[in-house]
Amino acid sequence: MPIFEGLLNDSLWWDDPIQSTILAPCPIEQSWTHLPGDMVKFSVDGAATSDKAGCGVVLRDAQRIISIMFYGPLSPLGLDFAELVAILKALEVFKAGNWIVCAPLIVESNSKVILNWLSDSLQRPWRWWKIFRDIGFLVTQIGNIQFQHICMEKNLADYLEKVSLQRSEFFEAWW
């Protein structure tokens, strides 16, 4: 995490989002993959310890401009749960912000387990059936969506999910 030390100051976000996220020079987004044309991409990441869980989510366009960012604590039910909730929240925000009419969506996750569960309903754990049902409903409504695996090291979503473990409340911003 030292690569992102001092990177985000969410108390400054509402006055100047650019300055609040560039407080120290660092090589952000070393794992960035370019997007075709009008697509947008959610990078989602979950974190969990034995007594805490959290997530970090960032939506960027093809020019890497952040349009949505949120991170914060979740119920401490494990890493898989944190990653699923991060995806669910990302899809909810995407739909609520009426992004559906704006651009096709890619959701990137570093969890092969979660991505396998999303693609094969027979492998899904029963205990989280409601989350899978809600994700499935949103996927149907959004329509043009792809789920992809990516390594999240040195990525803003990875940083945010680590920071989320230290927070007592959610931070959400979109415009």
Side-chain angles (χ1 to χ4, degrees), residues 20-77:
S20 73
T21 57
I22 307 175
L23 298 176
C26 64
I28 299 177
E29 304 297 350
Q30 291 181 4
S31 62
W32 175 263
T33 54
H34 294 282
L35 298 174
D38 64 344
M39 294 192 89
V40 292
K41 173 173 64 172
F42 265 121
S43 298
V44 301
D45 209 359
T49 64
S50 59
D51 62 338
K52 295 179 184 179
C55 69
V57 179
V58 179
L59 179 75
R60 292 183 185 235
D61 64 17
Q63 289 75 44
R64 298 174 68 169
I65 295 171
I66 296 174
S67 299
I68 299 171
M69 178 176 73
F70 58 89
Y71 61 101
L74 301 171
S75 299
L77 296 175

Side-chain angles (χ1 to χ4, degrees), residues 9-23 175:
N9 183 342
D10 56 77
S11 64
L12 297 176
W13 183 270
W14 302 111
D15 293 329
D16 190 346
I18 301 299
Q19 288 299 336
S20 73
T21 57
I22 307 175
L23 298 176
W175 47 97

Side-chain angles (χ1 to χ4, degrees), residues 95-151:
K95 181 179 179 271
N98 208 26
W99 280 87
I100 297 170
V101 297
C102 298
L105 176 64
I106 295 173
V107 177
E108 290 184 335
S109 170
N110 66 341
S111 174
K112 289 182 180 179
V113 170
I114 297 300
L115 294 174
N116 285 337
W117 288 347
L118 290 174
S119 67
D120 183 357
S121 61
L122 296 177
Q123 293 186 25
R124 296 174 182 172
W126 179 249
R127 67 183 175 271
W128 295 324
W129 69 270
K130 183 183 180 317
I131 294 172
F132 288 114
R133 183 198 64 199
D134 293 347
I135 289 172
F137 180 70
L138 288 165
V139 165
T140 301
Q141 289 188 318
I142 292 169
N144 196 352
I145 183 170
Q146 300 171 29
F147 291 95
Q148 296 179 350
H149 179 261
I150 187 168
C151 178

